Amino acid sequence: MRGVASGTGGRSTARGFFRDLLCAILAWATLIPNPSLLRADDDTNVPQPPMSNRDFLQNGQANTPKKKNAENPDSPRSEEARVADLIAKRQAEREGEKIDAIVVEGNSTIPTAAILQKLKTQAGRKATPTQIQDDLRTLLRTRWFFTVEPKYRRTDKGLVLVLSVIERPIVRSVKYLGASEVKPKKLAEETGLKVGSPYDMSANKESAKRLESYYHEQGYTEATVDLISGDKPDQRDVVFRIHEGVSQKVVWRYFDGNVSVSSERLAMELKTTPAYVFIGGKFDPTNLAEDVAGVRKYYENLGFFDAKVKPAVEYSKDRKWIYLHYSVQEGLHYRIRNFSMMGNTRFKTQELLAAIKTHEGQYYNAFQIKKDIEKIKKKYDVLGYTYMTVEVVQIGRAHV
């Protein structure tokens, strides 16, 4: 048996022991599995246990992954999309929506066809809100309805426009019984009534008065017009009964009782004029009062302050020709008893009296007094008294 050399056996033996121990540790480490390597090598997802409702409310929403590409509402791209949607909406409003049918509800006396004829909106065509509002205003202007309300219904056949109306009473017919000399068309122009117009009892009564006045203006002074239908709430037919009479013309005017003034001069104060070669001569009874006032005023200007005038209407046998007779009572003729001037400081009274023709003792004459006032004003105008005034004041009356 070989022995170990002195000085070498112990140290080499120790190095060999540690080398073998290190190799053993390395070998043992290679045999232990690495969890990270195991997860990397496994491509499948391990199913998670189901989460309860309570767990979801507590931490499920917090663990929900957020979208990576969610856009900011303030971003330029989001603003462009909003503007595009708004433009598309406005464009759709301008183009309107197709109306497949139009239905009228609430009308009982006005035919549906007459109502639809007033509309620009037509079934089967597009209509904008503005166009429909214009149609509603058009219907209200007809005065057929108190209210017109639009409604929309979606049906299987499409969009239906429903016009719900509340009717006004309207005229069903207009008749002018007894009218022969004046055409009904002209009478209708005077009354303004026609089929389909609003039924108004007060307006119908006023129309009867207006027709009678129209006949009188045309020379039918004896014409009468009565409203025999159209003055009750439950009626819809307006009927006038007309008695025309004959067309009358003034053919002559004459005076009696006038001594101081000629009939020709008094006739100039009359408003009623006679016919000349069958032209003119229309007689209006309301003008008689103006005729009387004109003649009396003329007499007063001449100093006949108590003059009276009484008119009378005379007819021919067929009542077509009229003779106007004016009876005059002149009364007393008044003179100027006292004549005085006041307020004249620039000119003496005698100097002014020498320039005029009106003096004491003369018959009162307003026409001459007016001329004298103008003469006095001219004397003052020469001296620059542009705004001076002259007023005549009568104090009592006396006659000679």
Side-chain angles (χ1 to χ4, degrees):
M1 182 173 180
R2 182 181 295 179
V4 179
S6 174
T8 59
R11 185 176 299 177
S12 59
T13 301
R15 285 197 298 268
F17 173 77
F18 283 107
R19 184 173 56 251
D20 294 339
L21 179 60
L22 181 59
C23 291
I25 292 173
L26 292 175
W28 177 76
T30 56
L31 295 178
I32 297 175
N34 191 346
S36 61
L37 294 178
L38 291 176
R39 285 196 297 268
D41 294 339
D42 191 359
D43 294 334
T44 60
N45 293 327
V46 179
Q48 299 293 331
M51 184 179 295
S52 64
N53 293 336
R54 183 175 182 179
D55 294 339
F56 175 77
L57 293 176
Q58 291 179 350
N59 53 19
Q61 293 179 348
N63 297 330
T64 301
K66 297 183 179 180
K67 295 182 180 180
K68 296 181 180 180
N69 297 328
E71 293 185 358
N72 187 354
D74 297 332
S75 64
R77 182 178 299 179
S78 177
E79 180 66 17
E80 292 177 0
R82 187 184 68 81
V83 172
D85 292 341
L86 184 60
I87 293 175
K89 183 178 179 180
R90 293 292 183 269
Q91 182 66 23
E93 291 179 355
R94 285 194 295 268
E95 295 178 356
E97 189 172 357
K98 181 181 178 182
I99 303 296
D100 294 278
I102 302 177
V103 178
V104 181
E105 295 179 350
N107 57 315
S108 58
T109 59
I110 304 175
T112 300
I115 298 174
L116 297 180
Q117 189 178 5
K118 298 290 184 180
L119 305 179
K120 293 182 179 180
T121 303
Q122 300 294 327
R125 298 182 181 179
K126 291 184 177 182
T128 63
T130 302
Q131 179 179 333
I132 294 176
Q133 290 298 321
D134 291 341
D135 287 339
L136 298 182
R137 284 189 286 268
T138 300
L139 291 178
L140 291 175
R141 281 196 295 267
T142 62
R143 296 184 60 81
W144 290 349
F145 312 104
F146 287 108
T147 60
V148 181
E149 182 180 359
K151 300 178 182 178
Y152 300 90
R153 294 176 183 170
R154 298 279 181 182
T155 64
D156 297 338
K157 297 181 179 180
L159 182 62
V160 178
L161 172 61
V162 181
L163 299 178
S164 179
V165 301
I166 299 178
E167 288 185 348
R168 292 177 182 267
I170 64 171
V171 176
R172 185 163 49 197
S173 65
V174 183
K175 296 180 181 179
Y176 304 94
L177 303 180
S180 58
E181 297 296 328
V182 182
K183 296 181 179 180
K185 182 179 180 181
K186 182 60 181 178
L187 298 178
E189 292 178 359
E190 291 297 321
T191 61
L193 297 175
K194 60 182 179 179
V195 176
S197 61
Y199 179 83
D200 189 332
M201 294 181 293
S202 300
N204 297 338
K205 295 176 182 178
E206 184 64 29
S207 295
K209 296 179 181 179
R210 192 159 52 247
L211 285 178
E212 190 168 303
S213 298
Y214 173 76
Y215 269 100
H216 293 169
E217 293 172 359
Q218 300 303 313
Y220 298 87
T221 58
E222 298 178 345
T224 59
V225 179
D226 297 319
L227 180 65
I228 61 176
S229 178
D231 57 345
K232 296 181 180 179
D234 57 342
Q235 296 175 342
R236 293 296 180 269
D237 300 312
V238 182
V239 182
F240 300 97
R241 183 170 55 200
I242 302 173
H243 170 70
E244 292 181 329
V246 295
S247 177
Q248 299 170 327
K249 292 182 180 294
V250 177
V251 67
W252 194 254
R253 305 168 302 176
Y254 66 97
F255 296 84
D256 67 38
N258 52 312
V259 178
S260 302
V261 185
S262 66
S263 297
E264 290 76 9
R265 181 62 187 83
L266 293 178
M268 296 175 62
E269 303 299 323
L270 301 178
K271 185 175 182 179
T272 303
T273 58
Y276 295 96
V277 194
F278 302 101
I279 298 176
K282 292 182 180 179
F283 175 62
D284 187 353
T286 60
N287 290 338
L288 291 178
E290 297 185 31
D291 292 343
V292 171
V295 174
R296 289 193 70 256
K297 182 64 176 176
Y298 184 78
Y299 268 104
E300 288 181 2
N301 289 334
L302 294 179
F304 294 90
F305 296 102
D306 300 326
K308 297 179 180 179
V309 182
K310 184 179 180 180
V313 181
E314 301 172 355
Y315 298 91
S316 62
K317 291 183 178 181
D318 57 4
R319 302 187 67 83
K320 289 185 177 181
W321 304 104
I322 293 177
Y323 303 86
L324 296 181
H325 178 202
Y326 299 92
S327 298
V328 178
Q329 295 180 2
E330 292 182 343
L332 301 175
H333 196 184
Y334 288 83
R335 294 176 181 271
I336 300 174
R337 183 173 60 183
N338 296 319
F339 189 92
S340 59
M341 293 186 181
M342 294 180 295
N344 52 311
T345 57
R346 183 62 182 83
F347 295 100
K348 295 181 179 180
T349 301
Q350 295 299 326
E351 185 178 357
L352 295 176
L353 289 176
I356 62 177
K357 295 182 179 182
T358 301
H359 301 288
E360 294 180 356
Q362 294 181 345
Y363 286 112
Y364 178 87
N365 189 319
F367 302 108
Q368 183 59 51
I369 293 175
K370 184 178 181 181
K371 294 179 181 178
D372 292 340
I373 291 175
E374 294 299 323
K375 291 180 180 180
I376 294 175
K377 285 185 176 181
K378 287 182 179 180
K379 290 182 67 66
Y380 278 92
D381 288 342
V382 173
L383 300 179
Y385 293 87
T386 307
Y387 301 102
M388 65 87 59
T389 59
V390 179
E391 183 181 359
V392 178
V393 180
Q394 298 180 15
I395 304 176
R397 295 176 184 176
H399 64 277
V400 178

